Amino acid sequence: MSEIHLRQIKSSLQKTFNGLIDLSDYQNKSETDRELIFLTRSLAAFTLMVLADISPQEASKSVVDGGQDNGIDSLYFDRREKIMYVLQSKWKQDSKGSVKTDEVMKFTRGFKDLVNARYDRFNSKFNNKTPDKVLIPQLT
């Protein structure tokens, strides 16, 4: 991907998700770190927005990225279609990069914990979406 493509995507993410992505856990970080995490979280929200055909506001609420996220950055259940979207995202500034094995393993473990309802292994953002909090459906 070229630099111009990255700039266009970055600009679109900033316009679409400015003020919608929670960065409260990055208040004491550098502006560079805040921008990187904003773009990573916005990318997850954008993917959901397109795949699930939901609003930027709804997609932003699906982001659970942060410490103790167990490899899952975004989570959304479409009740109408009965589809669970579980995403991992990563913004790369230099347009070069690949998926790292340890990231895949972390996501796989997180997905397994999700399926087995081991919610205690996730952060509070995730746990605000457990069955009694609406976004994760009761499967029993």
Side-chain angles (χ1 to χ4, degrees), residues 41-57:
R41 291 173 181 179
S42 294
L43 190 58
F46 175 79
T47 303
L48 266 179
M49 190 178 84
V50 172
L51 290 175
D53 193 25
I54 58 178
S55 70
Q57 293 79 7

Side-chain angles (χ1 to χ4, degrees), residues 17 21 40-49 51-52 54 56-66 69-77 84-90 107 111 114 122-123 125-126 129 135-136:
F17 296 103
I21 299 294
T40 291
R41 291 173 181 179
S42 294
L43 190 58
F46 175 79
T47 303
L48 266 179
M49 190 178 84
L51 290 175
I54 58 178
Q57 293 79 7
E58 196 169 2
S60 298
K61 291 176 187 172
S62 73
V63 175
V64 297
D65 177 56
D69 65 17
N70 212 356
I72 295 176
D73 291 339
S74 192
L75 183 69
Y76 177 76
F77 181 66
M84 172 73 79
Y85 295 91
V86 183
L87 302 172
Q88 166 61 244
S89 67
K90 200 67 72 196
F107 178 79
F111 187 80
L114 169 65
F122 293 91
N123 64 23
K125 289 180 185 181
F126 176 95
K129 298 176 185 341
L135 290 183
I136 299 175

Side-chain angles (χ1 to χ4, degrees), residues 68-124:
Q68 308 270 167
D69 65 17
N70 212 356
I72 295 176
D73 291 339
S74 192
L75 183 69
Y76 177 76
F77 181 66
D78 184 331
R79 292 189 184 292
R80 185 187 61 217
E81 298 294 328
K82 294 184 175 37
I83 297 172
M84 172 73 79
Y85 295 91
V86 183
L87 302 172
Q88 166 61 244
S89 67
K90 200 67 72 196
W91 178 263
K92 299 287 187 179
Q93 295 282 55
D94 62 4
S95 76
K96 296 175 181 66
S98 61
V99 178
K100 296 179 182 173
T101 304
D102 61 329
E103 292 171 348
V104 173
M105 288 176 57
K106 184 177 179 184
F107 178 79
T108 303
R109 277 192 312 268
F111 187 80
K112 192 174 187 179
D113 287 341
L114 169 65
V115 170
N116 290 312
R118 294 186 188 127
Y119 303 139
D120 61 314
R121 297 181 180 189
F122 293 91
N123 64 23
S124 61

